[in-house]
Amino acid sequence: MYTGMLHTHTLMVMLFLLIYLIKTILLFFSSTDKLAGFSKKIKVPEMIISTLFLATGIYLAYNTGNVGSWLYVKILVVLASIPLAVVAFKKGNKVLALISLVLLIYAYGISETKSPTFKMASMVSDYEGVASEQVGEKIFSEQCSHCHGMDGRGVLSGAKDLTASELSLDDKITIINNGKNAMIPYSKILSADQIEAVGNYVHAMAE
Ligand code: HEC
């Protein structure tokens, strides 16, 4: 369910941005007739796209672990840019159109750069000074607990309760390496030793 929502959301965001881009280009480089014609043709699909875009966004915001305040910034930016754009295209106001396009691209940019993969990759070197027996626990609390919960029982973003997992240690390590559905692959983020450490840590939770 979560993964389906995530894919739908991403696709809708892309389509949404594309329509905005085309409209802005028409506004700047073409006649108002062409813009009006395009806006009229795209009206119904655009309504469907923006409804799906907002509905999946709301679902994701509710069901995603606490990823940080950037999520609220993003939501605010999107909500501010939509009425701006509506006014801009209606009145043919180029400045407003540009501002709203920049805001939307900015919102898209923060989701990309603040996404778990990006954020986590920048945290890895932090484990260097940590005593080896604590590495698993530290990695878990920093990289895994916002979906799995500090106790491993969390089920945010469609995560599995790790204390109830019946997978073997090897299978768990495979999932940690390759990721699964909403869980990102860690093979490029953590070293093999770190993956083994956190694998052992979560395996011990299920015993
Ligand atoms: C973005 C959220 C998220 C993060 C962060 C995350 N996971 Fe997961 N994890 C999931 C989801 C979702 C699943 C279920 C995948 C499926 O089977 O559909 C899962 C499944 C697992 C499983 C398999 C459990 C089972 O019985 O099927 C293990 C083990 C696991 N995660 C360990 C970890 C470890 C260790 C980390 C940190 C290095 C981590 N996860 C980080 C979301 C996350």
Side-chain angles (χ1 to χ4, degrees), residues 2-3 64-65 67 116 120 136 139-148 154-169 171-176 179-184 186 190 194-195 197-203:
Y2 184 86
T3 320
T64 304
V67 281
M120 313 243 147
I139 294 175
F140 187 82
S141 77
E142 285 178 355
Q143 311 254 353
C144 323
S145 63
H146 54 271
C147 291
H148 288 286
V155 287
L156 279 166
S157 306
K160 294 269 166 74
D161 178 349
L162 296 176
T163 64
S165 176
E166 287 175 354
L167 296 180
S168 66
L169 177 58
D171 288 345
K172 283 177 183 151
I173 288 185
T174 306
I175 292 183
I176 302 168
K180 197 172 173 190
N181 290 325
M183 180 167 157
I184 52 173
Y186 280 90
L190 299 169
Q194 290 168 333
I195 289 189
V198 75
N200 282 320
Y201 182 77
V202 296
H203 196 54

Side-chain angles (χ1 to χ4, degrees), residues 8-189:
T8 314
H9 188 65
T10 314
L11 183 66
M12 292 308 141
V13 171
M14 298 290 203
L15 291 174
F16 195 76
L17 278 174
L18 190 67
I19 294 175
Y20 267 65
L21 205 61
I22 295 173
K23 280 192 183 175
T24 313
I25 291 172
L26 287 177
L27 180 63
F28 273 81
F29 302 108
S30 180
S31 64
T32 32
D33 286 355
K34 279 227 175 92
L35 174 62
F38 177 75
S39 299
K40 205 170 162 193
K41 252 188 249 150
I42 203 80
K43 200 168 180 174
V44 173
E46 192 182 9
M47 250 158 58
I48 299 171
I49 290 168
S50 39
T51 309
L52 280 174
F53 159 51
L54 288 175
T56 49
I58 292 167
Y59 174 89
L60 292 173
Y62 264 113
N63 288 282
T64 304
N66 184 7
V67 281
S69 48
W70 63 269
L71 188 63
Y72 302 107
V73 176
K74 175 182 159 184
I75 292 171
L76 273 180
V77 169
V78 172
L79 289 182
S81 60
I82 291 173
L84 263 186
V86 171
V87 175
F89 292 125
K90 241 197 188 120
K91 304 243 180 232
N93 188 320
K94 292 181 184 171
V95 179
L96 280 186
L98 209 58
I99 294 175
S100 94
L101 185 70
V102 168
L103 281 178
L104 278 173
I105 292 174
Y106 171 74
Y108 179 73
I110 32 183
S111 352
E112 287 297 303
T113 52
K114 298 283 177 171
S115 75
T117 325
F118 192 88
K119 192 167 113 212
M120 313 243 147
S122 63
M123 283 168 63
V124 171
S125 57
D126 293 352
Y127 305 116
E128 271 163 17
V130 179
S132 58
E133 62 274 18
Q134 278 159 19
V135 170
E137 187 180 351
K138 186 147 164 67
I139 294 175
F140 187 82
S141 77
E142 285 178 355
Q143 311 254 353
C144 323
S145 63
H146 54 271
C147 291
H148 288 286
M150 285 306 274
D151 58 1
R153 290 176 204 272
V155 287
L156 279 166
S157 306
K160 294 269 166 74
D161 178 349
L162 296 176
T163 64
S165 176
E166 287 175 354
L167 296 180
S168 66
L169 177 58
D170 278 353
D171 288 345
K172 283 177 183 151
I173 288 185
T174 306
I175 292 183
I176 302 168
N177 267 313
N178 302 335
K180 197 172 173 190
N181 290 325
M183 180 167 157
I184 52 173
Y186 280 90
S187 56
K188 292 213 180 69
I189 297 176

